[in-house]
Amino acid sequence: MPAQKTLSIIKPDAVASRVIGQIIARFEQNGLELLRAELRSIDRDTAKAFYAEHAEKPFFGELIDYITSGPAVVAVVAGEDAVALHRKLMGATNPKDAEPGTIRADFAKSLTENAIHGSDSVESAKREIAIFFPAAAKEEGFLDF
Ligand code: IDP
Ligand code: MG
């Protein structure tokens, strides 16, 4: 089985805080590698499709405003057990609950502006990679993991 892949987003607050390098270093120090990465703004339609599971939540509007507010690093990160390992490196959604030494504990500003996104399952990873890297997703075997 090829290495597992996950969709990682270094969110606009972390890009503005200039900690892209520190976050990517944590991936690399923990056995994960970057397969694709783009510094880009996320448009509102893409953001709404990406966060569709939260469409009915009271914070949805705030979340879409935030994730589209400036450049983000959107990446495909790969390695053994990449989905769970990347989530572990992220820490809890609310930085107040995140373990010391996790990306959110160290870099997040608030529950909304929480520095990083990572797919929550292999199925989510495939859906999210196809949204942001449609050409890669069509490559033979890219989504076989
Ligand atoms: P996750 O990013 O840890 O998977 P989700 O529950 O999927 O967390 O929420 C997606 C994103 O929505 C969070 O990362 C955070 O930016 C934002 N968010 C989640 N819950 C709240 C909330 O209660 N208030 C405001 N923003 C929230
Ligand atoms: Mg989530």
Side-chain angles (χ1 to χ4, degrees):
M1 207 59 180
Q4 202 173 83
K5 299 181 180 88
T6 194
L7 193 279
S8 176
I9 302 178
I10 301 175
K11 293 179 174 179
D13 63 296
V15 172
S17 300
R18 302 193 183 182
V19 293
I20 296 170
Q22 292 186 65
I23 292 173
I24 291 174
R26 291 183 186 202
F27 301 160
E28 295 182 335
Q29 285 156 1
N30 286 278
L32 296 173
E33 65 173 329
L34 285 187
L35 293 187
R36 297 283 191 288
E38 273 181 15
L39 179 67
R40 53 165 285 184
S41 296
I42 298 171
D43 64 73
R44 293 185 74 83
D45 285 347
T46 303
K48 286 180 187 168
F50 171 64
Y51 276 132
E53 67 176 298
H54 297 303
E56 307 306 322
K57 306 266 173 71
F59 59 84
F60 187 65
E62 184 187 355
L63 175 58
I64 299 305
D65 288 346
Y66 158 59
I67 201 71
T68 59
S69 65
V73 176
V74 185
V76 179
V77 170
E80 193 177 335
D81 216 10
V83 169
L85 175 54
H86 184 276
R87 293 280 306 188
K88 187 173 158 213
L89 297 176
M90 287 163 54
T93 305
N94 189 336
K96 289 185 180 140
D97 302 328
E99 294 283 330
T102 61
I103 292 166
R104 282 167 165 166
D106 291 345
F107 303 124
K109 293 207 159 82
S110 68
L111 173 55
T112 300
E113 296 188 307
N114 63 356
I116 187 160
H117 166 85
S119 308
D120 62 7
S121 67
V122 167
E123 282 316 300
S124 296
K126 292 179 182 182
R127 185 186 78 85
E128 294 172 2
I129 290 168
I131 289 174
F132 286 105
F133 295 96
K138 285 189 196 108
E139 285 175 23
E140 177 83 31
F142 196 85
L143 292 185
D144 295 341
F145 59 87

